[in-house]
Amino acid sequence: MCLESASKRMSPFSHIIAGPCAAETEQQVLTAAAALKPLHVIFRAGIWKPRTAPESFQGIGDKGLEWLQRVQQECGLEVATEVATVEQVEKATKAGIDYLWIGARTAANPIQVQALADAIARHATHRLKGIWVKNPVNEDAALWAGDIRRMQATGLPVWAIHRGCEHRPCWAMANLLRHEMKDVPLLLDPSHLTGDAQQVATLCQTAADLCMNGLMVEVHPTPKTALSDSRQQITPETFSHILQTTAIQDKQDTELKWLRKEIDEADDKLWDAIMQRMLVSEKIGAYKKLQDIAVIQPTRFQEILSRRKQWGKAHGISEPTVEAIMNALHQESIQRQT
Ligand code: PEP
Ligand code: MN
């Protein structure tokens, strides 16, 4: 496959970041960078990895900085890595890394983000071109915006990266940030968003449909052998194909497209909650059977219904609507208990 062709097409995105989740070996880094060079990406690779389990690969550490310098010199690509401590900021800025990013776990801790912002302000040289802030692991638009403001105070350009929470998109949070910080480029990280390589292509098109400003995608020469996030990484060839086939969208109805993402997300949560309710209902059914208690308990249902009607009244949802929904849920529960 000719990777060159992708670079000749008009891209829907101003910023494309790609590279492996983690720098593993010098050869893996240089192979990935050489394959991505024709796509004119900013090359990413984590060298200090914030992993959930201490048994997992924690990143190659300081020597990865030299490999990233080779990528700059030999491929002419700009490079980026994640920083989570003041010491890492010092080392990365000294090594002349072009961009630094704040990962989702760090982004959840404003004290640490402030310490990193202070360290960046102290150590940044003209070679540092910008800072990227991923959304925090918890769905909190205000915290994400606060992190961005802390980083903006360094005077460097700051971009926001929507990487979802617990392998799910948080479109409502991203849309809030998009409205609050209109001048901050908003990128999508489709790799961490679902943790599934099969969904990367669709999500890249979604980013284009929503007129997002760019992508950060995990690309590995041999994803199956990756030491971290192997299920979500794609090959350079697949990424090139995705860029070639991602269609540019007109900007019409962008607001509506964002709101539809929000409503689909609200529906997903609603149906998850309904499923949760059914699972509890089944447990109650098993208990009733064991204790020889009747499935239908009219007084209990009237209690639930009247509480929900009160709630509906306070929230502007009409009584017939509350009644219809509660009756449907009750019927489904009875069916599961009998
Ligand atoms: C990463 O980009 O490699 C990473 C660890 O991302 P996140 O902080 O979004 O989990
Ligand atoms: Mn990763």
Side-chain angles (χ1 to χ4, degrees):
M1 150 149 330
C2 171
L3 299 189
E4 206 78 31
S5 50
S7 61
K8 297 207 179 96
R9 274 183 84 251
M10 275 272 289
S11 169
F13 306 112
S14 331
H15 310 297
I16 301 179
I17 305 157
C21 174
E24 298 166 1
T25 66
E26 188 163 25
Q27 199 200 352
Q28 170 246 13
V29 168
L30 293 173
T31 306
L36 288 166
K37 179 177 159 75
L39 305 182
H40 306 295
V41 301
I42 302 174
F43 185 78
R44 62 147 284 157
I47 60 177
W48 302 291
K49 299 296 299 173
R51 306 304 302 285
T52 304
E55 299 78 18
S56 311
F57 176 56
Q58 307 290 303
I60 202 69
D62 301 1
K63 69 178 164 209
L65 290 171
E66 288 163 31
W67 306 345
L68 291 176
Q69 288 171 331
R70 280 194 69 183
V71 171
Q72 289 171 318
Q73 288 150 15
E74 293 170 27
C75 301
L77 292 178
E78 293 178 332
V79 298
T81 202
E82 173 175 350
V83 285
T85 68
V86 168
E87 193 189 2
Q88 290 166 5
V89 168
E90 286 166 12
K91 288 176 177 169
T93 47
K94 196 161 166 218
I97 301 301
D98 298 284
Y99 294 89
L100 303 178
W101 84 81
I102 308 302
R105 288 155 195 83
T106 307
N109 179 347
I111 292 181
Q112 187 63 7
V113 172
Q114 187 60 54
L116 295 177
D118 294 343
I120 290 170
R122 271 198 312 277
H123 296 286
T125 66
H126 67 282
R127 298 177 69 172
L128 184 61
K129 300 178 179 69
I131 308 162
W132 311 330
V133 182
K134 295 218 184 180
N135 67 262
V137 273
N138 49 325
E139 191 171 350
D140 188 338
L143 188 57
W144 191 12
D147 291 342
I148 290 170
R149 288 200 302 279
R150 290 176 201 275
M151 287 300 162
Q152 283 174 327
T154 64
L156 285 156
V158 179
W159 306 349
I161 302 181
H162 175 211
R163 51 83 74 206
C165 305
E166 293 175 359
H167 291 324
R168 291 184 123 186
C170 306
W171 297 114
M173 173 176 64
N175 202 17
L176 259 174
L177 190 92
R178 177 175 159 265
H179 279 282
E180 195 178 319
M181 302 194 136
K182 292 197 167 56
D183 298 332
V184 174
L186 179 59
L187 284 69
L188 189 71
D189 171 348
S191 310
H192 292 92
L193 199 77
T194 62
D196 177 4
Q198 298 302 320
Q199 298 194 49
V200 170
T202 308
L203 282 164
C204 289
Q205 184 58 55
T206 300
D209 295 345
L210 295 173
C211 294
M212 294 181 80
N213 304 99
L215 300 170
M216 180 194 259
V217 180
E218 286 194 340
V219 178
H220 191 290
T222 51
K224 281 201 179 82
T225 69
L227 299 181
S228 57
D229 287 349
S230 65
R231 282 190 58 248
Q232 71 196 31
Q233 303 204 59
I234 58 174
T235 63
E237 289 75 18
T238 303
F239 187 51
S240 173
H241 180 73
I242 288 173
L243 289 183
Q244 287 173 62
T245 50
T246 302
I248 297 178
Q249 290 292 312
D250 57 35
K251 291 199 172 14
Q252 230 181 349
D253 295 331
T254 304
E255 288 306 322
L256 184 60
K257 287 177 198 157
W258 271 96
L259 291 171
R260 285 187 168 153
K261 279 287 169 208
E262 280 197 41
I263 206 163
D264 288 350
E265 182 174 299
D267 279 348
D268 285 345
K269 286 182 182 164
L270 181 63
W271 282 99
D272 276 353
I274 290 172
M275 202 54 233
Q276 193 61 34
R277 188 186 199 282
M278 292 308 155
L279 294 177
V280 179
S281 172
E282 278 172 16
K283 283 192 208 163
I284 292 175
Y287 184 84
K288 282 177 177 168
K289 198 169 173 185
L290 211 65
Q291 303 295 326
D292 216 11
I293 300 170
V295 166
I296 300 177
Q297 298 281 327
T299 324
R300 163 79 178 145
F301 182 61
Q302 283 314 314
E303 253 172 51
I304 294 176
L305 190 58
S306 106
R307 191 146 37 90
R308 278 302 140 200
K309 282 182 184 167
Q310 287 289 328
W311 184 91
K313 208 169 166 184
H315 290 83
I317 298 181
S318 74
E319 236 182 61
T321 301
V322 172
E323 217 167 285
I325 292 172
M326 284 313 298
N327 278 329
L329 288 174
H330 190 223
Q331 277 313 311
E332 180 68 25
S333 287
I334 289 171
Q335 230 164 34
R336 278 170 187 260
Q337 291 189 3
T338 44

